[in-house]
């Protein structure tokens, strides 16, 4: 009981920090004038989603700054969900496939967060044509699992950028980019932080579906966390002056989630 109380206090403390960082994300994206109004806005998830359906653009420099904060905050939120899900009872695996009916259209994904995609998860069902919107019609779901790493360049035996004969491409900071993908990620993050217990229920059902698939002979990973350091972490050789609050938060939540996965697997 004492351990559970300590875990609850840690979870609530980390959630408070995540909500404060979420307010900064809304300000950086131009969705709020200041952090106070962003923190008190109960409809912030809907605001971000509606902005993603309009012709909303951000400068390349603003997108970079947003992603540097958004990635560790997403990863820390995902790890808090793992901690909460580890304390939930395990349901009947046969009921795991009932969350998505067979008649529901299969979601599609776009690989880039800068060009209107949903990187890392969430449904991406196209909006009806002719409505003037630039993004999807259904609110996105928060990605429960880390995006897997890609190692094609490593196994190819070629260095990064091999084959490019021209000069290095210019990356100006003031050109405008379509921000629909980033805004959808922000909307999904805000919805997840507003109701973490519901996300924990989703994660339990996600694991049950994967357990049923493995029982059927399919290769499925049961851990939502990818091996190695979590997404959004600083490189190990990065100077200490670059370490910020979100990186410390991610390290702490990652340690909690690793412990919670041990209990998850033995329950």
């Amino acid at each position: 009981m004492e351990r559970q109380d300590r875990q609850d206090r840690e979870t609530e403390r980390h959630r408070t920090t995540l909500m404060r960082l979420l307010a900064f994300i809304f300000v950086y994206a131009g969705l709020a004038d200041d952090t106070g109004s962003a923190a008190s806005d109960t409809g912030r998830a809907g605001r971000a989603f509606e902005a993603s359906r309009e012709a909303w653009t951000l400068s390349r420099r603003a997108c970079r700054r947003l992603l540097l904060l958004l990635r560790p905050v997403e990863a820390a939120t995902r790890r808090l969900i793992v901690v909460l899900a580890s304390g939930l009872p395990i349901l009947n695996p046969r009921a795991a496939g009932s969350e998505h009916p067979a008649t529901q259209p299969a979601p599609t994904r776009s690989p880039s967060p800068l060009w209107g995609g949903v990187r890392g998860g969430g449904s991406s069902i196209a909006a009806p044509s002719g409505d003037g919107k630039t993004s999807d019609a259904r609110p996105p779901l928060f990605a429960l699992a880390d995006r897997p790493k890609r190692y094609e360049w490593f196994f190819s035996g070629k260095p990064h950028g091999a084959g490019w004969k021209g000069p290095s491409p210019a990356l100006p900071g003031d050109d405008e980019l379509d921000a629909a993908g980033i805004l959808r990620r922000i909307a999904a993050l805000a919805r997840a932080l507003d109701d973490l217990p519901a996300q924990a229920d989703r994660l339990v059902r996600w694991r049950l579906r994967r357990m049923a698939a493995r029982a059927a002979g399919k290769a499925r990973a049961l851990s939502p966390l990818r091996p190695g350091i979590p997404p959004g972490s600083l490189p190990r050789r990065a100077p200490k002056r670059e370490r910020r609050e979100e990186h410390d938060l991610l390290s702490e939540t990652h340690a909690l989630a690793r412990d919670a996965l041990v209990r998850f697997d033995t329950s």
Side-chain angles (χ1 to χ4, degrees):
M1 182 62 69
E2 182 180 354
R3 181 176 182 177
Q4 182 64 37
D5 292 340
R6 184 171 64 252
Q7 177 179 295
D8 293 341
R9 290 194 300 269
E10 289 293 313
T11 301
E12 184 58 32
R13 180 172 66 88
H14 292 319
R15 181 185 177 275
T16 301
T17 305
L18 285 169
M19 295 298 290
R20 185 172 69 253
L21 294 174
L22 179 66
F24 281 103
I25 290 175
F26 269 74
V27 173
Y28 290 165
L31 297 170
D33 295 331
D34 54 74
T35 56
S37 60
S40 60
D41 185 7
T42 57
R44 53 181 169 263
R47 182 188 302 274
F49 173 61
E50 289 302 320
S52 71
R53 303 187 65 213
E54 305 295 337
W56 194 287
T57 61
L58 292 171
S59 68
R60 187 182 297 272
R61 186 173 290 109
C63 289
R64 290 173 184 165
R65 182 173 59 178
L66 266 173
L67 288 175
L68 285 176
L69 179 58
L70 184 59
R71 286 168 180 153
V73 170
E74 285 177 330
T77 301
R78 192 170 298 120
R79 279 142 183 81
L80 273 192
I81 294 172
V82 170
V83 173
L84 291 176
S86 66
L88 297 179
I90 301 299
L91 304 176
N92 185 358
R94 293 185 177 181
S98 61
E99 182 182 6
H100 298 288
T103 57
Q104 182 177 352
T108 58
R109 292 184 179 182
S110 177
S112 172
L114 298 181
W115 305 102
V118 191
R119 180 176 181 179
S123 60
S124 171
I125 301 175
S129 59
D131 61 354
K133 308 288 185 177
T134 61
S135 188
D136 303 326
R138 181 171 300 181
L141 295 175
F142 183 72
L144 297 176
D146 291 336
R147 185 178 179 89
K149 293 183 179 180
R150 300 180 64 180
Y151 295 100
E152 293 89 343
W153 67 269
F154 180 81
F155 291 106
S156 67
K158 300 178 181 179
H160 266 307
W164 174 251
K165 303 300 183 182
S168 300
L171 292 176
D174 296 329
D175 55 325
E176 294 293 315
L177 300 177
D178 181 13
I182 290 181
L183 293 175
R184 285 177 62 83
R185 289 173 64 175
I186 294 174
L189 174 63
R191 290 181 62 195
L193 287 174
D194 286 341
D195 195 356
L196 285 176
Q199 304 302 315
D201 290 335
R202 285 184 58 218
L203 181 59
V204 170
R205 295 192 296 269
W206 179 87
R207 281 176 60 93
L208 286 173
R209 290 194 299 271
R210 297 217 156 203
M211 290 169 63
R214 291 185 67 167
K218 300 179 181 179
R220 294 292 187 273
L222 295 181
S223 174
L225 310 183
R226 74 186 189 188
I229 62 175
S233 300
L234 282 178
R236 290 187 173 92
R237 295 184 179 181
K240 291 185 177 180
R241 63 177 180 273
E242 295 185 8
R243 192 172 184 87
R244 298 184 297 272
E245 181 182 19
E246 58 268 23
H247 301 127
D248 295 331
L249 173 66
L250 180 54
S251 298
E252 295 179 15
T253 54
H254 185 65
L256 288 175
R258 294 293 296 270
D259 293 340
L261 277 178
V262 174
R263 299 193 301 273
F264 216 163
D265 293 333
T266 57
S267 59

